[in-house]
Amino acid sequence: MQKIKSLMTRQGLRSPQESVNDLSPIESFRIPTKEELRELHEEPTDPQAQQEIINSIEEVYFSNDSFDIVKYELERLPPVLSLQELEEYRDKLKQQQAAVSKKVADLILEKQPAYVEELERVTSLQTGLQLAAVICTNGRRHLNIAKEGFTQTSLGLLANQRKRQLLIGLLKSLRTIKTLQRTDVRLSEMLEEEDYPGAIQLCLECQKAASTFKHYSCISELNSKLQDTLEQIEEQLDVALSKICKNFDINHYTKVQQAYRLLGKTQTAMDQLHMHFTQAIHNTVFQVVLGYVELCAGNTDTKFQKLQYKDLCTHITSDSYIPCLADLCKALWEVMLSYYRTMQWHENHDQDEAAVVSSDGNNVIGTEENSFDRNYVKKKLEHGLSRIWQDVQLKVKTYLLGTDLSNFKYDDFIFVLDVISRLMQVGEEFCGSKSEVLQESIRKQSVNYFKTYHRTRLEELRMFLENETWELCPVKSSFSILQLHEFKFMEQSRSPSVSPSKQPASAISSTVTLFEQYCNGGNPFEIQADSKDDETEDVLASNGYESDEQEKSAYQEYDSDSDVPEELKRDYVDEQTGDAPIKSVSRETLRSRKRSDYNLNKVNAPILTNTTLNVIRLVGKYMQMMNILKPIAFDVIHFMSQLFDYYLYAVYTFFGRNDTFESTGLGLSSSRLRTTLNRIQESLIDLEVCADPSGTLTAAEERKEKVPSPHLSHLVVLTSGNSLYGLAERVVATESLVFLAEQFEFLQPHLDAVMPAAKKPFLQQFYSQTVSTASELRKPVYWIVAAKAIDYEQMLLLMANVKWDVKEIMSQHNVYVDALLKEFEEFNRRLNDVSKRVRIPLPVSNILWEHCIRLANRTLVEGYANVKKCSNEGRALMQLDFQQFLMKLEKLTDIRPIPDKEFVETYIKAYYLTENDMECWIKEHREYSTKQLTNLVNICLGTYINKKARQKLLATIDDIDRPKR
């Protein structure tokens, strides 16, 4: 019913005949009866009314075909039945049924012509099929007649002819098969002769022939045999390819490449070649190390063969380490050389092929394939360079780190560095690599070795310093550190990869690579005898002179005054007054001035000790290592600075430390020197050697980096007045330090060149704050001599006995002046005696005289400050005494102006100041002590001013002194 409703809706209100025609046979499930049709005709024909009746039908009637209408209507009856309502409802249902029946009838009538037309088509199709069946039956009958009459006889003749032809072909095939079965013998012979290209060519031809007869069962076995033979050839070819890795042979490699080209496996061959090179590196290093391990073990125990390479390297002994490293590098060199020659072969081969292709360009496709293979091989070889070198680096790195080198001898460790540096040079020429892996591994070993080595050297330096008697080491005046073996590497510009002990005489390596140099034989890692032992150092002088002639000329040079300036030959004129002295300067005095550096019996040779020479040699060794391995340059330079620091600290501790004199406030030690000494003491000197060892681990580690403070040898006597309190030893110690500082200054450009940019401030600070302070150590060291060489206390006692409140002007100076001058003459004599042992340089003698004069002048002021009573005539006597002292002193020394001359003169002149001037003078001259200023106020002005004014001046003095406390 639902389909009928939808169909009625689509068709609209049409005639009953049209509606009937539209219904399919399924949908027209019931044809209305005559009575129903009559009722339909009696019903109103208004389509609109009819459609409204159909629309009034409940939806449930259109639900599905299984719907039970009777049951539905019965269930809808009300509980109380009414006949009238039932009749009305029945009439309504009839009207609906009539409307539906009329609609169905209209649809049937509408589709009636189409139905008739379709029925005619079906009838026509049935007739055509019957005719086709008749035709097929007739065709089969005629075919049977032809088969029996013609086909069987004619085709039988053709079949027999075909069999004959097949048998003839079979006979030829059998003959070919017989020949194929005999080729295996020839293939075996060719393989024994290593004629791989010929064997492969023959095998491929046989395979091609066998593929033609593969339909025979015997051929399948032969084909399988040929395939096995070809695989065997490939296996032998692979073995032959692996031999290239250790010993490259051009003819052998050419055959192998031709064979792979015939197989069409050029790219595969290149992949296999790289695998063989990798395997060759592993097997080579393992066998070399295993041989040394078994040799050192002294037995043939197979347990070593089962170890990994990394574990095997830990069994190498110290004695066999260097020979094993050399052999290891030799073997790896052979592998890399084979790879290099392999690349050369391909380059030459590609050039030859390119020339052939350019002359004959017919086969374009084959040319493109060959070009593709060549490009692949070229890229593979270029990429393999870095892979091969990386494998070499890793193997050598494992060997390097497998043994602790910290206890090696210096020369042995330098040799290890030399070998590794040469290996890094090989790597750079091989693939342009910077060898970061090798650099890092050798850097670790070098830092580890160098820490231990430096610690031992510092302990040795302490031992040398504690046993040093500070005697002069006689060297020639032409001595230079470049004459020492340790600095030979600086004499010529060299590649950093060459060891200081093995610089080649020729410059071949600068123009020819190692691969070109050793391509046809030899090995760059051959251990050569060190020629350094054959060299001799000509730096020491005999008896302090380089020759007898120089010994004579040392005196003759000072006997002549031909080169004395004219102004020194003239009489001396006082700079202050312009008056000439009573006596002219004698010829002896002029000569003594000229030789004021006390150098009569010594040539101008450097002043240094054996310890100084050892430190310089150590510096040279440190620089050798730094020159070979620049990544540890900072660590090496830091350790070099510690050598200098410790030497400087030792000289200061032995000869310059004296708290009594430091407290005088004369500025003997500059702030820079004090800062440097404090830094050295905090960072390098272990002051807790005898302390309780139970400390923290961090403190113990820090103490490992420090060295105990050295102690002066008991053989060095610094308390004897005859030797000027060890002046000779002090000169040798201090001037050797200055000489060492000069050598560091000379080396600064070389150190700066290898120092990393980020660490250069450390180097600059070391030179500006430490090296440059060496000469400043002269003042505190020689001050002690100056303070003890002259009896200043005796002079104070003599001055205390002088009567200064005299009533008349005196013309004769006091006795204490003569006593002081006599002390200076004695000092000058002893200074000459010391100069016979050790040359006293001019700066040293100047500092000694300056210190003595400065102390004498300050003693004079102190003596004047002790005066209880003083008259104007007494003040004039003070001036007379001081002028007499200056006049005689200027004959003994060349120092101009006289140190602290104004210090004394200003103090004496202050006796003449008035009250107002005195106050200003006190504020301006703070270099005088409180006692000295107080004496001026009490003695000089005490009789002229009242008590209040004096108290004011004393208060001013007290205010000035308060910040000093």
Side-chain angles (χ1 to χ4, degrees), residues 467-569:
N467 290 279
E468 179 63 67
T469 57
W470 302 103
E471 294 290 336
L472 189 66
C473 178
V475 294
K476 293 186 176 182
S477 60
S478 60
F479 170 75
S480 169
I481 60 173
L482 297 179
Q483 297 169 350
L484 300 175
H485 292 310
E486 289 78 7
F487 291 92
K488 290 295 183 184
F489 72 95
M490 293 177 60
E491 292 183 352
Q492 50 188 327
S493 178
R494 310 163 22 151
S495 168
S497 62
V498 184
S499 167
S501 60
K502 295 182 175 62
Q503 172 67 10
S506 64
I508 294 178
S509 60
S510 62
T511 56
V512 180
T513 65
L514 293 173
F515 287 97
E516 294 171 348
Q517 184 178 350
Y518 296 98
C519 185
N520 297 321
N523 197 300
F525 296 98
E526 291 288 346
I527 300 179
Q528 300 175 355
D530 194 352
S531 60
K532 187 176 76 172
D533 296 337
D534 300 333
E535 300 175 3
T536 56
E537 291 180 342
D538 186 19
V539 295
L540 297 180
S542 58
N543 300 323
Y545 300 100
E546 299 179 25
S547 65
D548 295 337
E549 288 76 11
Q550 289 182 347
E551 183 176 1
K552 295 176 182 177
S553 64
Y555 289 98
Q556 293 171 357
E557 180 182 357
Y558 295 102
D559 289 341
S560 172
D561 61 353
S562 59
D563 57 346
V564 177
E566 289 298 325
E567 60 270 16
L568 290 182
K569 295 180 181 179

Side-chain angles (χ1 to χ4, degrees), residues 341-398:
R341 297 185 67 186
T342 302
M343 289 191 68
Q344 273 192 326
W345 184 92
H346 280 279
E347 289 177 3
N348 298 332
H349 185 70
D350 291 347
Q351 291 175 1
D352 295 340
E353 279 198 348
V356 172
V357 170
S358 61
S359 61
D360 182 17
N362 295 329
N363 190 359
V364 179
I365 297 177
T367 303
E368 290 179 353
E369 290 180 357
N370 290 338
S371 177
F372 178 78
D373 287 343
R374 285 198 303 270
N375 291 334
Y376 178 84
V377 169
K378 182 179 180 181
K379 291 181 180 179
K380 191 74 176 178
L381 286 171
E382 290 175 352
H383 178 67
L385 285 171
S386 57
R387 284 185 53 193
I388 297 294
W389 177 241
Q390 186 69 12
D391 289 343
V392 170
Q393 283 192 92
L394 292 174
K395 296 300 181 184
V396 178
K397 173 190 175 183
T398 303

Side-chain angles (χ1 to χ4, degrees), residues 8 82 103 158 272 285 292 313 391 439-440 484 530 552 654 678 685 711 715 724 748 778 850 869 910 959:
M8 290 165 60
S82 171
K103 186 70 173 177
L158 294 174
Q272 287 294 112
V285 297
Y292 275 92
C313 290
D391 289 343
Q439 284 195 19
E440 179 60 23
L484 300 175
D530 194 352
K552 295 176 182 177
F654 294 166
N678 290 334
I685 306 303
H711 302 287
L715 299 176
L724 275 180
Q748 185 177 5
R778 287 168 168 163
E850 179 185 348
K869 294 180 181 180
D959 293 339

Side-chain angles (χ1 to χ4, degrees), residues 514-688:
L514 293 173
F515 287 97
E516 294 171 348
Q517 184 178 350
Y518 296 98
C519 185
N520 297 321
N523 197 300
F525 296 98
E526 291 288 346
I527 300 179
Q528 300 175 355
D530 194 352
S531 60
K532 187 176 76 172
D533 296 337
D534 300 333
E535 300 175 3
T536 56
E537 291 180 342
D538 186 19
V539 295
L540 297 180
S542 58
N543 300 323
Y545 300 100
E546 299 179 25
S547 65
D548 295 337
E549 288 76 11
Q550 289 182 347
E551 183 176 1
K552 295 176 182 177
S553 64
Y555 289 98
Q556 293 171 357
E557 180 182 357
Y558 295 102
D559 289 341
S560 172
D561 61 353
S562 59
D563 57 346
V564 177
E566 289 298 325
E567 60 270 16
L568 290 182
K569 295 180 181 179
R570 294 198 302 267
D571 289 344
Y572 174 71
V573 179
D574 188 273
E575 294 179 358
Q576 299 292 330
T577 63
D579 297 330
I582 298 173
K583 292 182 180 180
S584 62
V585 182
S586 65
R587 189 179 186 85
E588 287 72 17
T589 305
L590 288 174
R591 195 171 297 159
S592 68
R593 286 178 181 172
K594 184 171 186 301
R595 59 175 183 261
S596 58
D597 61 347
Y598 299 91
N599 193 21
L600 269 179
N601 61 339
K602 299 290 177 182
V603 293
N604 193 23
I607 297 178
L608 67 159
T609 65
N610 287 326
T611 303
T612 317
L613 206 56
N614 283 329
V615 172
I616 293 174
R617 290 184 186 276
L618 270 181
V619 170
K621 290 182 177 181
Y622 283 22
M623 290 189 66
Q624 282 184 25
M625 188 176 297
M626 179 176 61
N627 193 55
I628 296 175
L629 197 62
K630 289 182 174 57
I632 66 166
F634 171 70
D635 302 278
V636 176
I637 292 175
H638 175 64
F639 292 147
M640 283 173 57
S641 70
Q642 288 187 347
L643 294 177
F644 186 84
D645 288 347
Y646 196 69
Y647 195 93
L648 184 148
Y649 186 82
V651 173
Y652 170 75
T653 304
F654 294 166
F655 304 105
R657 175 180 286 173
N658 193 309
D659 297 334
T660 303
F661 300 117
E662 284 291 323
S663 62
T664 59
L666 295 177
L668 298 177
S669 298
S670 66
S671 60
R672 185 173 61 168
L673 178 60
R674 289 195 299 271
T675 302
T676 299
L677 292 170
N678 290 334
R679 176 188 61 78
I680 295 173
Q681 183 168 301
E682 292 174 2
S683 62
L684 189 61
I685 306 303
D686 186 5
L687 301 175
E688 303 176 1

Side-chain angles (χ1 to χ4, degrees), residues 48 88 95 123 166 399 424 440 558 667 681 691 696 862 879 900 914 951:
Q48 185 69 28
E88 291 176 356
Q95 287 178 359
T123 304
L166 290 174
Y399 181 81
M424 287 192 287
E440 179 60 23
Y558 295 102
Q681 183 168 301
T696 62
E862 186 67 20
Q879 288 183 327
D900 279 353
T914 62
Q951 291 296 330

